[in-house]
Amino acid sequence: MNILLIGSGGREHALAWKIAQSPLLKRLVIAPGNPGMSGLGELRAVKATDVAGLAALAQEIKADLVVVGPESALAEGIGDAMQRLGIACFGPLKAAAQLEASKAFTKDFCKRHAIPTAASETFDNAAEARDFLKTYAPPYVIKADGLAAGKGVAISPDYQDAVAEVEAMLGGRYGPASQQIVIEEFMTGEEASVFALCDGETSILFGWAQDHKRAFDGDTGPNTGGMGTYSPAPVVTDAVLRRTQDEILTPTVRGMKAEGHPYKGVLYAGLMIEDGAPRLVEYNARFGDPECQVLMLRLKSDIVPYLLAAATGRLRDLPPPQWHDQAAVCVVFAAKGYPDSPLSGSLIRGAEADFGPDVTVFHAGTTRGADGTLRAAGGRVLNICARGADIREARDRAYAAIAQIDWPGGFYRTDIAHRAL
Ligand code: AMP
């Protein structure tokens, strides 16, 4: 098969690493990719949001399957473009990707289909939002409706702060993404991410993980795209998985189909779990980054038949995927200054060494200088991932590897997976 993989982050490096192991693969083309992926496929300099360029590339390489990594490409309508060309695409159409792109859409959808989530109201008017805040107790959860690179959620401890957030968001802090806001009930419990593959009709569970969103140790500092992950996650028991499937994922896939937007691709449910009961925090329309990295390390089955079946409506023909018993941990090595203003261009030494069979380093924001050196070119730069008999062993291996990388311009959290230990 000829496969076009879209994206350039650690998530896509992990997908490329797994796809490249498939005996079904003939040719892997990655657009635009990153330096770490160059040994796995052919890199082509087409941006993930350049829908016309990607469509032309898919035709040129006679792609049998297009695999979409990032949400930005989905929101631009890459799925729709591939459908027009008759090319199988792993990733939802734009109308279905609303499950991620519009929190107001998703909250209304959950109400229509009785999917457990925080109670909420949607506003585009600051006065009405202020009045609503007065009707309930802090903490207040205020969210921009649209895509805001993971930054569009504010949790306010008091009314004054909440009003300031409401006014800033409706005043245009996130541009069109915050023209509407959602104000919702604060949920308590433990968070986890559960992934399902969907083909428009059927969904199958495809792994679970927990992540660390705050920048610094002890879950302090600003929210980030994610500083580390581990899988399995102790809070995600078999019973929680069953309930997630029955109460959240299955009604979602059925509801999307019934409403005329069949959902295919990966459905990533961010959950809040309390007393064994999962509630939906949010949906994403793609794999998590860095959750994908630990899932790919743990996935034993060939991924390609699953991606193709999800894209072509044939998931029910496949058995549940097989997983390695081993645990996996991913530690993100980020550029100093991340997430607000990461410093670009610093030299990284030793990241491409052989760390042994249990450690894999995925690249995210890296670039290769003319002299062959590796340099930082983004916020989250490297993902140091390891497998082990249990979370502790996997974590120790990841930290032993990261200690060998010489990058004074970077920082990482030293407590990834502490909750599982
Ligand atoms: P989201 O982008 O919707 O996943 O929100 C980002 C983070 O904000 C989540 O991972 C939670 O830690 C927190 N959060 C979002 N919604 C709620 C809520 N209703 N109650 C408590 N925490 C929340």
Side-chain angles (χ1 to χ4, degrees), residues 21-69:
Q21 295 168 32
S22 174
L24 300 171
L25 182 71
K26 198 166 96 198
R27 182 177 182 195
L28 177 61
V29 176
I30 308 163
N34 66 43
M37 292 149 91
S38 58
L40 300 170
E42 306 158 41
L43 305 192
R44 297 288 284 268
V46 182
K47 282 202 188 111
T49 49
D50 176 2
V51 173
L54 293 168
L57 181 57
Q59 285 179 298
E60 179 205 316
I61 69 159
K62 299 192 169 53
D64 301 296
L65 176 66
V66 173
V67 179
V68 186

Side-chain angles (χ1 to χ4, degrees), residues 10 22 24 30 142 178 190 198 267 345-347 353 361 370 375 390 410:
S22 174
L24 300 171
I30 308 163
I142 300 151
S178 64
E190 196 170 340
C198 309
L267 198 51
S346 56
L347 182 64
V361 176
R375 291 180 182 270
D390 53 21

Side-chain angles (χ1 to χ4, degrees), residues 103 141 143 153 155 184-187 191 213 281-282:
K103 293 191 192 285
V141 182
K143 301 185 175 185
V153 175
I155 300 190
E184 68 179 39
E185 169 202 357
F186 181 80
M187 295 189 282
E191 286 185 75
K213 284 214 165 54
V281 178
E282 65 158 355

